[in-house]
Structures are given as structure tokens and as C-alpha cells.
Amino acid sequence: MPALLPGAVRRVRRELGAAVAVACLCAGAIGTAARAAWSPCQNANLSPSAANAGRVDAATLCLIDRLRAAYHLRPLRANGELRRLAARQVNDMVSWNYFADDRPPGLTPLALIASTRYPSHAKSLSVGQNIGWGTGPYATAASMVAGWMASPGHREIILTGEYREAGVGVAPALPPLLGQELAGATYAIEFAARRF
């Protein structure tokens, strides 16, 4: 069973932020059908580096879309604004030495998305965020998504049917406060849906 980093899980609709955190991940924690659904994703087992971060981002979204398909949910469209926000989230966690749902000084995922062009002209906005980190073999997209699926709060966000778009960010480093001696990676994925 994976060890999970303590963190709050908050479901988001309109006015709330959502985020969750995963520390150690395990592929055996998800069902056989879901595991089979994501096997075709290219680069799912790459160890993240500065040179392959974009491929790991794409593999993470591919795995999530395969899982959503296994549960009869529509795939998520990659969104550049959400991807830039997710990348900024992981880079800030590493450089500012924190690991939390809210960015200092307490900006929620909803506030961060609302500060971009993403919600322009939308009547309502739903957002969700999963964050996580892993070391060694647990730093791959496959392990990260498996860990998220093993956690009820993360899984709920991934399998929320209302989300239509997503953006993934991965940094091939950990915030120093985690005190890890092994190489690792920090992940964030932003989920969102706009209604016009």
C-alpha cells in the first residue's frame, strides 16, 4: 500500500479550490481493467528530466484519459493556459521550498486559475488540482497516476465527469524540505471546466 503525504482533499465547484498530495506511489493499487487501459501510453515509465518533461507531461495526461475512458468518461483536452499554470505550480514548489495545495501567501488553485485568461467570458468555472511527488521508480507518470488512483480524493478528481480540460506540469526535482536523497519529481495537474 502506498504511503500518502498528509493533505486535505477538497472538491471544487465554482468557488472552492481543490488539491491533493501523494508521496509514495504503487501501480498495484488500481484495478486490472484500469491498468490495462493505460498500457499504450508512450513514455509513461520515463524518469522525468529537464530534457523529457514535455513527454512526461503528455504521458501523464494520456494515462488519465485512458483511465477516464475505462470509466466511460470523455477525454480531457490539453489546455496551454492550464499547462503553464501547472508548470508554474511545480516550479514554485521546488524553488520556494514548499509542498502544498495553496501557493504562498495562500492562493488557492481557483484563485490562480482565475488570475489567468482561462476563465475569460465564462459564466461559471469548476476546477480541481492533484499534486504529488515521487522518488526513484515512483517518479514516473505511471507511478504518479497509479498513486493518485489509489487515493480516494485524487481518484475522485480524476474521475470527475464535468472536467473538460487539463494541463500537466512536472519538475525533475523535489522541494528541499522533503529531504529526499534520491532523484525525484514533483507533479501538478490542473483540471477545469468552463460554462459560457
Side-chain angles (χ1 to χ4, degrees):
M1 191 61 161
L4 299 179
L5 185 67
V9 176
R10 292 168 283 165
R11 192 54 210 282
V12 181
R13 290 192 193 258
R14 299 173 199 245
E15 308 259 336
L16 300 175
V20 289
V22 173
C24 185
L25 308 164
C26 162
I30 61 171
T32 304
R35 220 176 12 257
W38 77 17
S39 58
C41 291
Q42 190 174 14
N43 302 314
N45 292 305
L46 278 180
S47 291
S49 70
N52 68 17
R55 290 184 287 161
V56 175
D57 292 351
T60 305
L61 188 56
C62 174
L63 293 170
I64 286 172
D65 279 342
R66 296 281 198 268
L67 286 165
R68 288 173 62 90
Y71 289 90
H72 310 291
L73 298 170
R74 72 175 73 181
L76 299 166
R77 289 185 304 275
N79 178 277
E81 200 72 39
L82 296 175
R83 183 194 55 75
R84 284 186 290 279
L85 184 62
R88 198 167 79 213
Q89 172 75 356
V90 295
N91 290 325
D92 285 352
M93 283 192 286
V94 170
S95 64
W96 297 354
N97 194 23
Y98 75 96
F99 185 78
D101 303 336
D102 296 345
R103 186 177 302 166
L107 293 173
T108 66
L110 179 62
L112 292 170
I113 290 175
S115 72
T116 70
R117 295 181 331 175
Y118 182 80
S120 296
H121 309 294
K123 290 181 182 175
S124 67
L125 177 67
S126 295
V127 304
Q129 177 189 73
N130 282 354
I131 61 173
W133 61 273
T135 60
Y138 299 112
T140 67
S143 289
M144 185 60 58
V145 173
W148 284 334
M149 288 298 288
S151 164
H154 295 84
R155 179 186 177 98
E156 179 182 358
I157 290 171
I158 289 171
L159 299 179
T160 296
E162 75 180 282
Y163 295 137
R164 298 292 179 255
E165 297 173 304
V168 178
V170 61
L174 300 175
L177 69 88
L178 297 175
Q180 299 296 317
E181 296 176 6
L182 297 173
T186 307
Y187 285 74
I189 181 167
E190 309 293 336
F191 298 87
R194 299 174 282 193
R195 288 168 204 78
F196 296 96

